[in-house]
Amino acid sequence: MSGKKRSEETTPEDTAHLSHAPEHDISEDKISRVGGGKMQRRLRRYNIRMLIASVAILMALCGILLVRIQDLNGTIGNMASQIARLTGVAAQQQEELELLRTLTEELSAALEEKLSDGGKEAAGKKDGQAGEKSVEASTPGITAAHKVYLTFDDGPSDNTEEVLEILDRYGVKATFFVVGNQAEQEEEMLKKIVEAGHTLGMHSYSHKYSELYASVESFAEDFTKMQNYLEEVTGVKSLVYRFPGGSSNTISEVDMKEFARYLDGQGVCFFDWNISSGDGGSYLFPAETLIENCTKNVSKYSTSVILMHDSASKSTTLEALPTIIETIQAMEDTVILPITAETSPVQHIKWQENEG
């Protein structure tokens, strides 16, 4: 086809359309590129916002977590404090229970001694001058009208050393009724008692009423162990005995006369008391009370056997002892002596066949 013919067949509109076609295509691409850039920027801004929001949320969560951790730490600290407090309370209650048990045992022993005193006083009222009858002293060479025997139970202990020093200071001899299982810790003190010229008496080996008084056989076993032990340690065979709780105690289910007869068969004499200091219980009486208890009735008897204790807890007994000795020594026609084989015993019960 000739050029003339093509030009004739081509209309002005076609020419115009064709001439503008490429320009139209370029604008579309440009618009597409411009639109895509805006979308990317919008997406980028959205992502940034989401990132910032996520970081903010994460920081908020971390803050909440830290607060919770602090709260938990405070709670744990409070619980630890409460546990420590409860542990302390439990320990204190345990100590109080132990103290209560000890006080109960001591109260029981004091009650037994009180009942023994009551039994002795009742017997005295019944028999008129029965107390005087049972305590007439027969110590050779002693003519004093009033003979006083200081006796100490439940030792030896840390207090015994000071008791010995006080007795030595006043030139006084006494009698120590010692407990075997207690003496194991103070064997040197046993020797000092003997070396100082005091009388060493037996107060059982175990001092456990339930075992000691269960039967004559159990009593005999305890007695033999005690007597042999003292002789082994000191070289002296003890021949004087004091029943824990006294011969008139109400704890033993076996008649105390049976034990008295057993001791007599062993050539041993038992001694109770007719004056009590009152220091046998758990309550710590002031020294003034002990002094009065030990001295006010001495003049009533030709022989006074005074009950005291040299166990470690009896601090007021140590305080009272010098004044007790001074007061007795100042009494007219009165002398302080140790118990010997020649001393007629104070006994709360009648146990010999001819005594009825």
Side-chain angles (χ1 to χ4, degrees), residues 202-228:
M202 296 172 283
H203 196 40
S204 81
Y205 194 91
S206 67
H207 206 277
K208 293 182 179 179
Y209 300 151
S210 59
E211 297 177 6
L212 185 66
Y213 297 136
S215 65
V216 174
E217 290 73 21
S218 62
F219 180 86
E221 181 180 353
D222 184 281
F223 166 81
T224 301
K225 183 178 182 180
M226 181 61 176
Q227 189 179 54
N228 291 342

PDB file of all heavy atoms in Angstrom, residues 202-228:
ATOM      1  N   MET A 202      22.795 -42.304 152.641  1.00  0.00           N
ATOM      2  CA  MET A 202      22.216 -42.728 151.364  1.00  0.00           C
ATOM      3  C   MET A 202      20.799 -42.171 151.200  1.00  0.00           C
ATOM      4  O   MET A 202      20.008 -42.193 152.143  1.00  0.00           O
ATOM      5  CB  MET A 202      22.179 -44.259 151.295  1.00  0.00           C
ATOM      6  CG  MET A 202      23.559 -44.919 151.307  1.00  0.00           C
ATOM      7  SD  MET A 202      23.473 -46.738 151.445  1.00  0.00           S
ATOM      8  CE  MET A 202      23.109 -46.907 153.202  1.00  0.00           C
ATOM      9  N   HIS A 203      20.512 -41.696 149.985  1.00  0.00           N
ATOM     10  CA  HIS A 203      19.186 -41.176 149.660  1.00  0.00           C
ATOM     11  C   HIS A 203      18.663 -41.856 148.398  1.00  0.00           C
ATOM     12  O   HIS A 203      17.926 -41.252 147.613  1.00  0.00           O
ATOM     13  CB  HIS A 203      19.266 -39.654 149.480  1.00  0.00           C
ATOM     14  CG  HIS A 203      17.933 -38.959 149.528  1.00  0.00           C
ATOM     15  ND1 HIS A 203      16.923 -39.298 150.402  1.00  0.00           N
ATOM     16  CD2 HIS A 203      17.438 -37.913 148.789  1.00  0.00           C
ATOM     17  CE1 HIS A 203      15.885 -38.513 150.221  1.00  0.00           C
ATOM     18  NE2 HIS A 203      16.167 -37.668 149.239  1.00  0.00           N
ATOM     19  N   SER A 204      19.075 -43.105 148.216  1.00  0.00           N
ATOM     20  CA  SER A 204      18.773 -43.967 147.071  1.00  0.00           C
ATOM     21  C   SER A 204      19.742 -43.670 145.920  1.00  0.00           C
ATOM     22  O   SER A 204      20.399 -42.614 145.893  1.00  0.00           O
ATOM     23  CB  SER A 204      17.329 -43.824 146.580  1.00  0.00           C
ATOM     24  OG  SER A 204      17.167 -42.686 145.761  1.00  0.00           O
ATOM     25  N   TYR A 205      19.806 -44.571 144.979  1.00  0.00           N
ATOM     26  CA  TYR A 205      20.660 -44.363 143.813  1.00  0.00           C
ATOM     27  C   TYR A 205      19.903 -43.629 142.702  1.00  0.00           C
ATOM     28  O   TYR A 205      20.417 -42.719 142.088  1.00  0.00           O
ATOM     29  CB  TYR A 205      21.183 -45.699 143.269  1.00  0.00           C
ATOM     30  CG  TYR A 205      22.322 -45.518 142.301  1.00  0.00           C
ATOM     31  CD1 TYR A 205      23.642 -45.509 142.752  1.00  0.00           C
ATOM     32  CD2 TYR A 205      22.092 -45.314 140.940  1.00  0.00           C
ATOM     33  CE1 TYR A 205      24.696 -45.304 141.877  1.00  0.00           C
ATOM     34  CE2 TYR A 205      23.129 -45.110 140.063  1.00  0.00           C
ATOM     35  CZ  TYR A 205      24.433 -45.099 140.535  1.00  0.00           C
ATOM     36  OH  TYR A 205      25.476 -44.883 139.660  1.00  0.00           O
ATOM     37  N   SER A 206      18.664 -44.018 142.467  1.00  0.00           N
ATOM     38  CA  SER A 206      17.910 -43.451 141.335  1.00  0.00           C
ATOM     39  C   SER A 206      17.020 -42.278 141.723  1.00  0.00           C
ATOM     40  O   SER A 206      16.782 -41.393 140.907  1.00  0.00           O
ATOM     41  CB  SER A 206      17.028 -44.534 140.709  1.00  0.00           C
ATOM     42  OG  SER A 206      15.995 -44.917 141.613  1.00  0.00           O
ATOM     43  N   HIS A 207      16.499 -42.297 142.958  1.00  0.00           N
ATOM     44  CA  HIS A 207      15.538 -41.292 143.428  1.00  0.00           C
ATOM     45  C   HIS A 207      14.271 -41.299 142.582  1.00  0.00           C
ATOM     46  O   HIS A 207      13.517 -40.315 142.533  1.00  0.00           O
ATOM     47  CB  HIS A 207      16.149 -39.896 143.445  1.00  0.00           C
ATOM     48  CG  HIS A 207      15.509 -38.968 144.445  1.00  0.00           C
ATOM     49  ND1 HIS A 207      14.348 -38.274 144.185  1.00  0.00           N
ATOM     50  CD2 HIS A 207      15.860 -38.623 145.709  1.00  0.00           C
ATOM     51  CE1 HIS A 207      14.020 -37.541 145.227  1.00  0.00           C
ATOM     52  NE2 HIS A 207      14.912 -37.737 146.178  1.00  0.00           N
ATOM     53  N   LYS A 208      13.986 -42.409 141.899  1.00  0.00           N
ATOM     54  CA  LYS A 208      12.763 -42.542 141.116  1.00  0.00           C
ATOM     55  C   LYS A 208      11.769 -43.373 141.921  1.00  0.00           C
ATOM     56  O   LYS A 208      11.938 -44.580 142.075  1.00  0.00           O
ATOM     57  CB  LYS A 208      13.059 -43.197 139.770  1.00  0.00           C
ATOM     58  CG  LYS A 208      13.899 -42.337 138.843  1.00  0.00           C
ATOM     59  CD  LYS A 208      14.114 -43.024 137.506  1.00  0.00           C
ATOM     60  CE  LYS A 208      14.929 -42.150 136.568  1.00  0.00           C
ATOM     61  NZ  LYS A 208      15.162 -42.810 135.256  1.00  0.00           N
ATOM     62  N   TYR A 209      10.740 -42.730 142.411  1.00  0.00           N
ATOM     63  CA  TYR A 209       9.788 -43.404 143.296  1.00  0.00           C
ATOM     64  C   TYR A 209       9.167 -44.641 142.651  1.00  0.00           C
ATOM     65  O   TYR A 209       8.993 -45.668 143.306  1.00  0.00           O
ATOM     66  CB  TYR A 209       8.679 -42.439 143.724  1.00  0.00           C
ATOM     67  CG  TYR A 209       9.163 -41.226 144.474  1.00  0.00           C
ATOM     68  CD1 TYR A 209       8.469 -40.025 144.422  1.00  0.00           C
ATOM     69  CD2 TYR A 209      10.321 -41.256 145.237  1.00  0.00           C
ATOM     70  CE1 TYR A 209       8.901 -38.901 145.119  1.00  0.00           C
ATOM     71  CE2 TYR A 209      10.765 -40.146 145.931  1.00  0.00           C
ATOM     72  CZ  TYR A 209      10.053 -38.980 145.869  1.00  0.00           C
ATOM     73  OH  TYR A 209      10.483 -37.880 146.553  1.00  0.00           O
ATOM     74  N   SER A 210       8.788 -44.511 141.375  1.00  0.00           N
ATOM     75  CA  SER A 210       8.089 -45.616 140.709  1.00  0.00           C
ATOM     76  C   SER A 210       8.950 -46.870 140.622  1.00  0.00           C
ATOM     77  O   SER A 210       8.435 -47.987 140.675  1.00  0.00           O
ATOM     78  CB  SER A 210       7.663 -45.191 139.301  1.00  0.00           C
ATOM     79  OG  SER A 210       8.785 -44.811 138.528  1.00  0.00           O
ATOM     80  N   GLU A 211      10.268 -46.693 140.484  1.00  0.00           N
ATOM     81  CA  GLU A 211      11.170 -47.839 140.430  1.00  0.00           C
ATOM     82  C   GLU A 211      11.585 -48.277 141.831  1.00  0.00           C
ATOM     83  O   GLU A 211      11.581 -49.463 142.158  1.00  0.00           O
ATOM     84  CB  GLU A 211      12.416 -47.483 139.614  1.00  0.00           C
ATOM     85  CG  GLU A 211      12.128 -47.149 138.158  1.00  0.00           C
ATOM     86  CD  GLU A 211      13.374 -46.730 137.412  1.00  0.00           C
ATOM     87  OE1 GLU A 211      14.480 -46.811 137.995  1.00  0.00           O
ATOM     88  OE2 GLU A 211      13.256 -46.299 136.253  1.00  0.00           O
ATOM     89  N   LEU A 212      11.918 -47.310 142.659  1.00  0.00           N
ATOM     90  CA  LEU A 212      12.453 -47.599 143.986  1.00  0.00           C
ATOM     91  C   LEU A 212      11.450 -48.357 144.844  1.00  0.00           C
ATOM     92  O   LEU A 212      11.793 -49.337 145.525  1.00  0.00           O
ATOM     93  CB  LEU A 212      12.844 -46.285 144.660  1.00  0.00           C
ATOM     94  CG  LEU A 212      13.532 -46.376 146.022  1.00  0.00           C
ATOM     95  CD1 LEU A 212      14.896 -47.017 145.896  1.00  0.00           C
ATOM     96  CD2 LEU A 212      13.649 -44.985 146.633  1.00  0.00           C
ATOM     97  N   TYR A 213      10.183 -47.904 144.828  1.00  0.00           N
ATOM     98  CA  TYR A 213       9.170 -48.464 145.710  1.00  0.00           C
ATOM     99  C   TYR A 213       8.263 -49.481 145.011  1.00  0.00           C
ATOM    100  O   TYR A 213       7.187 -49.801 145.523  1.00  0.00           O
ATOM    101  CB  TYR A 213       8.323 -47.339 146.305  1.00  0.00           C
ATOM    102  CG  TYR A 213       9.091 -46.367 147.172  1.00  0.00           C
ATOM    103  CD1 TYR A 213       8.896 -44.992 147.062  1.00  0.00           C
ATOM    104  CD2 TYR A 213      10.033 -46.816 148.089  1.00  0.00           C
ATOM    105  CE1 TYR A 213       9.603 -44.094 147.866  1.00  0.00           C
ATOM    106  CE2 TYR A 213      10.749 -45.930 148.891  1.00  0.00           C
ATOM    107  CZ  TYR A 213      10.525 -44.566 148.772  1.00  0.00           C
ATOM    108  OH  TYR A 213      11.231 -43.687 149.559  1.00  0.00           O
ATOM    109  N   ALA A 214       8.682 -49.973 143.865  1.00  0.00           N
ATOM    110  CA  ALA A 214       7.861 -50.949 143.138  1.00  0.00           C
ATOM    111  C   ALA A 214       7.732 -52.256 143.910  1.00  0.00           C
ATOM    112  O   ALA A 214       6.680 -52.902 143.899  1.00  0.00           O
ATOM    113  CB  ALA A 214       8.446 -51.206 141.756  1.00  0.00           C
ATOM    114  N   SER A 215       8.794 -52.646 144.594  1.00  0.00           N
ATOM    115  CA  SER A 215       8.791 -53.892 145.374  1.00  0.00           C
ATOM    116  C   SER A 215       9.991 -53.862 146.305  1.00  0.00           C
ATOM    117  O   SER A 215      10.907 -53.046 146.145  1.00  0.00           O
ATOM    118  CB  SER A 215       8.865 -55.106 144.452  1.00  0.00           C
ATOM    119  OG  SER A 215      10.109 -55.128 143.762  1.00  0.00           O
ATOM    120  N   VAL A 216      10.005 -54.774 147.266  1.00  0.00           N
ATOM    121  CA  VAL A 216      11.158 -54.882 148.155  1.00  0.00           C
ATOM    122  C   VAL A 216      12.393 -55.276 147.357  1.00  0.00           C
ATOM    123  O   VAL A 216      13.505 -54.807 147.636  1.00  0.00           O
ATOM    124  CB  VAL A 216      10.881 -55.905 149.279  1.00  0.00           C
ATOM    125  CG1 VAL A 216      12.134 -56.125 150.131  1.00  0.00           C
ATOM    126  CG2 VAL A 216       9.723 -55.438 150.155  1.00  0.00           C
ATOM    127  N   GLU A 217      12.201 -56.099 146.332  1.00  0.00           N
ATOM    128  CA  GLU A 217      13.331 -56.543 145.508  1.00  0.00           C
ATOM    129  C   GLU A 217      13.954 -55.372 144.760  1.00  0.00           C
ATOM    130  O   GLU A 217      15.185 -55.240 144.695  1.00  0.00           O
ATOM    131  CB  GLU A 217      12.868 -57.620 144.513  1.00  0.00           C
ATOM    132  CG  GLU A 217      12.508 -58.957 145.126  1.00  0.00           C
ATOM    133  CD  GLU A 217      11.188 -58.940 145.887  1.00  0.00           C
ATOM    134  OE1 GLU A 217      10.356 -58.026 145.604  1.00  0.00           O
ATOM    135  OE2 GLU A 217      10.981 -59.814 146.754  1.00  0.00           O
ATOM    136  N   SER A 218      13.118 -54.501 144.168  1.00  0.00           N
ATOM    137  CA  SER A 218      13.666 -53.351 143.438  1.00  0.00           C
ATOM    138  C   SER A 218      14.328 -52.381 144.400  1.00  0.00           C
ATOM    139  O   SER A 218      15.355 -51.772 144.082  1.00  0.00           O
ATOM    140  CB  SER A 218      12.562 -52.653 142.647  1.00  0.00           C
ATOM    141  OG  SER A 218      11.553 -52.151 143.505  1.00  0.00           O
ATOM    142  N   PHE A 219      13.760 -52.230 145.596  1.00  0.00           N
ATOM    143  CA  PHE A 219      14.374 -51.367 146.603  1.00  0.00           C
ATOM    144  C   PHE A 219      15.734 -51.922 147.023  1.00  0.00           C
ATOM    145  O   PHE A 219      16.716 -51.170 147.141  1.00  0.00           O
ATOM    146  CB  PHE A 219      13.457 -51.252 147.829  1.00  0.00           C
ATOM    147  CG  PHE A 219      14.004 -50.377 148.918  1.00  0.00           C
ATOM    148  CD1 PHE A 219      13.793 -49.012 148.902  1.00  0.00           C
ATOM    149  CD2 PHE A 219      14.746 -50.918 149.959  1.00  0.00           C
ATOM    150  CE1 PHE A 219      14.310 -48.186 149.893  1.00  0.00           C
ATOM    151  CE2 PHE A 219      15.268 -50.111 150.966  1.00  0.00           C
ATOM    152  CZ  PHE A 219      15.045 -48.744 150.930  1.00  0.00           C
ATOM    153  N   ALA A 220      15.800 -53.225 147.231  1.00  0.00           N
ATOM    154  CA  ALA A 220      17.050 -53.863 147.648  1.00  0.00           C
ATOM    155  C   ALA A 220      18.123 -53.715 146.573  1.00  0.00           C
ATOM    156  O   ALA A 220      19.301 -53.475 146.887  1.00  0.00           O
ATOM    157  CB  ALA A 220      16.806 -55.343 147.954  1.00  0.00           C
ATOM    158  N   GLU A 221      17.730 -53.827 145.320  1.00  0.00           N
ATOM    159  CA  GLU A 221      18.691 -53.678 144.225  1.00  0.00           C
ATOM    160  C   GLU A 221      19.267 -52.265 144.196  1.00  0.00           C
ATOM    161  O   GLU A 221      20.474 -52.074 144.042  1.00  0.00           O
ATOM    162  CB  GLU A 221      18.001 -53.999 142.895  1.00  0.00           C
ATOM    163  CG  GLU A 221      18.922 -53.903 141.691  1.00  0.00           C
ATOM    164  CD  GLU A 221      18.212 -54.232 140.392  1.00  0.00           C
ATOM    165  OE1 GLU A 221      17.038 -54.655 140.436  1.00  0.00           O
ATOM    166  OE2 GLU A 221      18.833 -54.048 139.320  1.00  0.00           O
ATOM    167  N   ASP A 222      18.393 -51.269 144.342  1.00  0.00           N
ATOM    168  CA  ASP A 222      18.831 -49.877 144.356  1.00  0.00           C
ATOM    169  C   ASP A 222      19.729 -49.607 145.562  1.00  0.00           C
ATOM    170  O   ASP A 222      20.780 -48.956 145.457  1.00  0.00           O
ATOM    171  CB  ASP A 222      17.611 -48.952 144.393  1.00  0.00           C
ATOM    172  CG  ASP A 222      17.976 -47.483 144.314  1.00  0.00           C
ATOM    173  OD1 ASP A 222      18.384 -46.917 145.343  1.00  0.00           O
ATOM    174  OD2 ASP A 222      17.852 -46.888 143.226  1.00  0.00           O
ATOM    175  N   PHE A 223      19.327 -50.125 146.723  1.00  0.00           N
ATOM    176  CA  PHE A 223      20.101 -49.923 147.954  1.00  0.00           C
ATOM    177  C   PHE A 223      21.508 -50.510 147.826  1.00  0.00           C
ATOM    178  O   PHE A 223      22.508 -49.848 148.173  1.00  0.00           O
ATOM    179  CB  PHE A 223      19.380 -50.560 149.142  1.00  0.00           C
ATOM    180  CG  PHE A 223      20.239 -50.689 150.364  1.00  0.00           C
ATOM    181  CD1 PHE A 223      20.439 -49.618 151.219  1.00  0.00           C
ATOM    182  CD2 PHE A 223      20.890 -51.892 150.658  1.00  0.00           C
ATOM    183  CE1 PHE A 223      21.255 -49.732 152.343  1.00  0.00           C
ATOM    184  CE2 PHE A 223      21.697 -52.012 151.770  1.00  0.00           C
ATOM    185  CZ  PHE A 223      21.894 -50.929 152.617  1.00  0.00           C
ATOM    186  N   THR A 224      21.591 -51.741 147.348  1.00  0.00           N
ATOM    187  CA  THR A 224      22.894 -52.409 147.230  1.00  0.00           C
ATOM    188  C   THR A 224      23.804 -51.650 146.271  1.00  0.00           C
ATOM    189  O   THR A 224      25.001 -51.462 146.546  1.00  0.00           O
ATOM    190  CB  THR A 224      22.701 -53.850 146.741  1.00  0.00           C
ATOM    191  OG1 THR A 224      21.866 -54.556 147.669  1.00  0.00           O
ATOM    192  CG2 THR A 224      24.047 -54.567 146.621  1.00  0.00           C
ATOM    193  N   LYS A 225      23.235 -51.211 145.171  1.00  0.00           N
ATOM    194  CA  LYS A 225      24.014 -50.443 144.199  1.00  0.00           C
ATOM    195  C   LYS A 225      24.546 -49.166 144.828  1.00  0.00           C
ATOM    196  O   LYS A 225      25.713 -48.788 144.625  1.00  0.00           O
ATOM    197  CB  LYS A 225      23.146 -50.122 142.978  1.00  0.00           C
ATOM    198  CG  LYS A 225      23.881 -49.381 141.874  1.00  0.00           C
ATOM    199  CD  LYS A 225      22.951 -49.162 140.678  1.00  0.00           C
ATOM    200  CE  LYS A 225      23.675 -48.456 139.541  1.00  0.00           C
ATOM    201  NZ  LYS A 225      22.774 -48.230 138.376  1.00  0.00           N
ATOM    202  N   MET A 226      23.703 -48.503 145.611  1.00  0.00           N
ATOM    203  CA  MET A 226      24.081 -47.236 146.237  1.00  0.00           C
ATOM    204  C   MET A 226      25.169 -47.436 147.283  1.00  0.00           C
ATOM    205  O   MET A 226      26.177 -46.730 147.301  1.00  0.00           O
ATOM    206  CB  MET A 226      22.840 -46.595 146.881  1.00  0.00           C
ATOM    207  CG  MET A 226      23.102 -45.251 147.544  1.00  0.00           C
ATOM    208  SD  MET A 226      23.696 -44.041 146.338  1.00  0.00           S
ATOM    209  CE  MET A 226      23.789 -42.586 147.347  1.00  0.00           C
ATOM    210  N   GLN A 227      24.972 -48.380 148.175  1.00  0.00           N
ATOM    211  CA  GLN A 227      25.936 -48.602 149.248  1.00  0.00           C
ATOM    212  C   GLN A 227      27.298 -49.014 148.695  1.00  0.00           C
ATOM    213  O   GLN A 227      28.345 -48.506 149.136  1.00  0.00           O
ATOM    214  CB  GLN A 227      25.416 -49.666 150.219  1.00  0.00           C
ATOM    215  CG  GLN A 227      26.257 -49.791 151.486  1.00  0.00           C
ATOM    216  CD  GLN A 227      25.703 -50.832 152.444  1.00  0.00           C
ATOM    217  OE1 GLN A 227      25.487 -51.988 152.066  1.00  0.00           O
ATOM    218  NE2 GLN A 227      25.462 -50.423 153.688  1.00  0.00           N
ATOM    219  N   ASN A 228      27.297 -49.904 147.712  1.00  0.00           N
ATOM    220  CA  ASN A 228      28.559 -50.352 147.108  1.00  0.00           C
ATOM    221  C   ASN A 228      29.258 -49.209 146.381  1.00  0.00           C
ATOM    222  O   ASN A 228      30.493 -49.087 146.424  1.00  0.00           O
ATOM    223  CB  ASN A 228      28.307 -51.511 146.143  1.00  0.00           C
ATOM    224  CG  ASN A 228      27.890 -52.785 146.852  1.00  0.00           C
ATOM    225  OD1 ASN A 228      28.100 -52.931 148.053  1.00  0.00           O
ATOM    226  ND2 ASN A 228      27.295 -53.703 146.116  1.00  0.00           N
TER     227      ASN A 228
END
